[in-house]
Each structure stands twice: as C-alpha cells, then as structure tokens.
Amino acid sequence: QVHLVESGGGLVEAGGSLQLSCTASGPNANVYAMGWFRQAPGKEREWVSAISSGGGRKEYAASVKGRFTISRDNARITVYLQMNNLEPEDTATYYCAADKRPSRSVTLFSTAGEWFWGQGTQVTVSA
C-alpha cells in the first residue's frame, strides 16, 4: 500500500502559477509511475499528467501541454506539478495517483484503472 499526500493548492488569478507536490510513502514507493488527475464540480475526473518511476518519461493531456510541467525527486519520493499560465478552466480538485503495477508503461498511466490515490488539493483560478 502506498500513501500519497498532496499539497500546494490554492487560489490564483488567471495567468498565474502554482506548484503542487505529492509525497509518497510505503513499501517501494519509488518504483511506481505517478501522476495527476483533476475533477471539476459536475464533471468527470480527467487525467492531467504522468511521469515514469525514473522520471525520464513524461506524459501530458493536450489541455495542459506547454503550460504544466511534471517532475519527480526520488530521493524525497515526491512528484511536482508546476502549473503556469493558469486558466479558469483549470479550476478543480487535483488528485495525485500512483499506478499500482510498477511494470506498466507510463504511456498507459491514464487508462491503467488501478491507482493509489491521494486525498486531493483544491486549485481555484479566478478570471
């Protein structure tokens, strides 16, 4: 079992930036691909980004590519999501996730269907 704790959400004006953090703990927590999903009120959960266990491969949803950057520090077992040029449409609860199957390619992260989840952190972007 991997335990994930997010931080860094908040309120920001459109065009601003925020950085989310997610720290993992538990047995072999550093071997999992990790990433972020988000869910806005009344909408389905949406995959945002993912990063391989070693940090060498990164994937982004089209809606955030070029504005968001995912990274990880395996010494701290922490994944970061740097969000720049935020838009009101980015308003959502952001959830950190880790793929339960360490051997699965990060390209399949968004559809893996088996994740450990964090508790979520709220991001609100005002117009």
Side-chain angles (χ1 to χ4, degrees):
Q1 183 72 21
V2 173
H3 185 57
L4 304 173
V5 178
E6 303 103 330
S7 62
L11 172 65
V12 65
E13 293 184 349
S17 298
L18 281 175
Q19 185 182 68
L20 306 183
S21 301
C22 172
T23 299
S25 61
N28 300 314
N30 63 327
V31 305
Y32 299 95
M34 294 178 65
W36 296 89
F37 290 79
R38 66 187 182 185
Q39 187 166 20
K43 294 188 177 181
E44 293 189 355
R45 184 180 60 198
E46 173 189 24
W47 169 73
V48 175
S49 183
I51 188 167
S52 61
S53 59
R57 294 202 63 173
K58 304 174 184 181
E59 301 286 333
Y60 298 95
S63 59
V64 306
K65 200 168 187 178
R67 300 187 298 122
F68 290 12
T69 302
I70 193 169
S71 61
R72 73 188 287 162
D73 179 346
N74 272 345
R76 295 177 171 82
I77 319 181
T78 298
V79 172
Y80 304 95
L81 186 68
Q82 177 65 42
M83 305 185 294
N84 297 329
N85 194 21
L86 283 160
E87 304 168 352
E89 293 73 22
D90 296 316
T91 295
T93 301
Y94 283 70
Y95 296 94
C96 179
D99 189 339
K100 286 187 176 181
R101 191 176 299 181
S103 60
R104 186 159 29 216
S105 170
V106 69
T107 59
L108 301 176
F109 186 93
S110 62
T111 57
E114 305 174 271
W115 300 281
F116 297 109
W117 292 101
Q119 82 286 355
T121 185
Q122 179 66 36
V123 172
T124 303
V125 184
S126 63

